[in-house]
Amino acid sequence: MSDGLSIDGALQLLACAAFIVGLKLMGRQTTARLGNFVSAGGMALAVVAAVLHSGVSLPIVAIAGLVGSVIGVVLAVRVKMTGMPELVAAFNGLGGLASLAIGLVEVAREGGGVFGAAMSSAAIIVGGVAFTGSLVAFGKLSGVLPQRAIAFPGQFAATAVVAVVTLGTAVWAVAGGPAWTPGALCAVAAFGVGVLAVVRIGGGDMPVVVSLLNSYSGAAAAAAGLAIDSPVLVVAGALIGAAGLMLTQVMCKAMNRSLANVLFAGFGSAVAEATGGAQQGTVRPISASDSYYLLESAREVIVVPGYGMAVARAQHVVEELSSLLEANGTRVRFVIHPVAGRMPGHMNVLLAEAGIPYDQLIEPPDVNPGMEGIDVALVIGANDIVNPDAKEDSASPLYGMPIVEVDRAKTTIVLKRSMATGFAGVQNSLFFRPNTRMLFGDAKDSIGSVNAEFED
């Protein structure tokens, strides 16, 4: 095949096609699993193509592949759904670190010219920011770091100085010729930018940050692919970068905030000071048996899931309740807010795992106009996305964010363990509305008790 397409070139072409087709298949619940397999097959082809092209020792590749596969299987089996946001953040960071390593090696060796050095430097910068930024996001999501925004005097100035150093060392790497020193300094400075940029963002904005860092890891991979002349890495990185950026825009729109506001407003630090956790009125508790009577007589029910459902691992009993209600002649729909949970699509994944049909999932604009016709709104562990202050209180840090307007339903049942604030740290005035009933306790146990009432 010396006069035509080489074997590794053909494999790269097939891998690129697999990535594109796989991403397309992931757009539908019915084909998402197949899309995963197709994309994984494309990655396998890409690895084989890279081995053939580079001539790396096969035993080394086999050992590295085996180690990576074992780690992947262990994570797939052991990581709980509640830990998935942290895992996604970690994957983003590792992707950025891999691209940084490629850029660092390319900067230090001969070849590639000015363009290659520029792309290598870009991979170092973006990959470094993605790596440490993802580590900070991991810390906030897992509770290792404070979930609030961490701000200190002169923080913006410090970030600007580190950013200038990052760009200066990158210019040195491009203009100074092959050398380890400018690349290494650029990487260290990029690490600093990643930490300073994400540490000041509050926990309520982490879903947006995770999707943005995913976009960064893709952009870093594309730059690394241009540096080493790898079409398959360019295509894969471009797909990841574009998808992550589009998702970031969707989530910002769902919060009615600009990306600049998310990144630079320091959301979270003011929240803790302005709102605290003071109770705002009278709470009206309800029992599981009384909840059953409300649900049994309802004709229209919506379920609004949140991170609390993931913590309680209640998605399967929720699916059972949905089936029982439908058998009773009730129409049941699940309202998914784009920023529910702690990563993009968190609730969709949980409900799909429980086998809830995709056509039962709707978005807030689909139900809000007719909310007065909803007999019961069942809120499971959601907080900020149903807070009426977002539309009524201009002093609230959530003001302007579109919500699921369950406060207008005939009856709202909120399942929570306690009166603790949500991830954004603000008290929820919904809990004190006259049409709201609080079903305290573990969501899985509470819904299980309601299901038992139906079965009896």
Side-chain angles (χ1 to χ4, degrees):
M1 299 182 66
S2 58
D3 295 330
L5 189 63
S6 63
I7 295 177
D8 63 277
L11 291 176
Q12 289 191 61
L13 184 61
L14 289 173
C16 292
F19 291 151
I20 296 171
V21 172
L23 186 62
K24 177 66 175 178
L25 292 173
M26 290 181 199
R28 292 181 177 274
Q29 185 194 34
T30 54
T31 58
R33 181 172 296 181
L34 176 60
N36 271 321
F37 283 118
V38 171
S39 298
M43 182 57 67
L45 291 175
V47 171
V48 173
V51 172
L52 292 176
H53 180 75
S54 63
V56 177
S57 172
L58 289 179
I60 294 177
V61 174
I63 293 172
L66 179 61
V67 171
S69 298
V70 169
I71 294 173
V73 170
V74 170
L75 290 175
V77 172
R78 300 192 62 177
V79 174
K80 299 177 181 179
M81 289 304 299
T82 51
M84 201 58 62
E86 295 98 292
L87 183 62
V88 171
F91 281 162
N92 290 342
L94 291 174
L97 184 62
S99 298
L100 180 147
I102 293 173
L104 192 57
V105 171
E106 288 300 303
V107 162
R109 76 180 186 90
E110 295 282 354
V114 173
F115 178 79
M119 290 299 100
S120 298
S121 298
I124 292 172
I125 294 173
V126 182
V129 171
F131 175 61
T132 52
S134 296
L135 288 183
V136 174
F138 177 93
K140 285 178 175 284
L141 290 168
S142 62
V144 175
L145 295 176
Q147 295 176 352
R148 61 178 175 80
I150 300 174
F152 56 85
Q155 188 171 22
F156 277 122
T159 305
V161 170
V162 177
V164 169
V165 172
T166 305
L167 294 175
T169 51
V171 172
W172 179 15
V174 174
W180 282 102
T181 301
L185 292 176
C186 184
V188 172
F191 289 158
V193 172
V195 172
L196 291 170
V198 179
V199 75
R200 66 170 289 106
I201 301 175
D205 290 331
M206 277 304 109
V208 178
V209 175
V210 169
S211 63
L212 182 62
L213 290 170
N214 178 252
S215 178
Y216 284 0
S217 68
L226 290 170
I228 63 175
D229 194 23
S230 172
V232 69
L233 191 54
V234 173
V235 171
L239 289 173
I240 295 170
L245 188 58
M246 291 172 63
L247 184 57
T248 301
Q249 292 176 329
V250 168
M251 298 180 75
C252 285
K253 182 179 179 181
M255 297 170 68
N256 196 31
R257 297 171 64 202
S258 67
L259 181 58
N261 181 263
V262 171
L263 295 178
F264 303 117
F267 182 80
S269 56
V271 171
E273 297 171 1
T275 64
Q279 189 163 305
Q280 300 174 0
T282 302
V283 176
R284 299 166 179 81
I286 191 173
S287 65
S289 59
D290 288 341
S291 299
Y292 156 73
Y293 288 117
L294 286 172
L295 290 166
E296 191 273 337
S297 61
R299 299 288 73 127
E300 286 276 350
V301 172
I302 60 170
V303 180
V304 184
Y307 184 68
M309 187 181 77
V311 172
R313 290 178 285 181
Q315 60 269 28
H316 295 286
V317 291
V318 170
E319 189 279 330
E320 182 182 351
L321 175 61
S322 174
S323 298
L324 291 168
L325 286 169
E326 289 182 322
N328 193 48
T330 304
R331 184 189 185 194
V332 182
R333 291 175 292 170
F334 293 81
V335 186
I336 310 298
H337 194 284
V339 294
R342 296 190 181 177
M343 74 173 186
H346 199 180
M347 297 300 104
N348 302 70
V349 173
L350 289 175
L351 297 178
E353 180 195 16
I356 293 172
Y358 197 74
D359 56 9
Q360 282 187 255
L361 275 57
I362 59 174
E363 296 182 354
D366 299 324
V367 70
N368 281 342
M371 188 63 74
E372 286 83 2
I374 301 299
D375 296 305
V376 178
L378 197 62
V379 180
I380 308 175
N383 202 324
D384 304 321
I385 62 171
V386 293
N387 193 334
D389 288 347
K391 59 178 180 174
E392 298 173 355
D393 184 4
S394 59
S396 171
L398 294 173
Y399 186 69
M401 183 181 84
I403 61 168
V404 186
E405 299 174 6
V406 296
D407 56 293
R408 292 169 37 225
K410 295 176 183 177
T411 302
T412 299
I413 301 175
V414 179
L415 285 85
K416 277 180 66 70
R417 294 176 184 270
S418 68
M419 290 295 294
T421 59
F423 206 48
V426 297
Q427 185 60 267
N428 192 343
S429 63
L430 172 70
F431 302 159
F432 314 106
R433 298 297 171 101
N435 63 328
T436 298
R437 301 294 180 268
M438 302 295 296
L439 181 53
F440 290 109
D442 179 85
K444 183 177 180 180
D445 294 339
S446 298
I447 297 175
S449 298
V450 174
N451 293 347
E453 295 278 352
F454 270 101
E455 293 167 353
D456 289 343

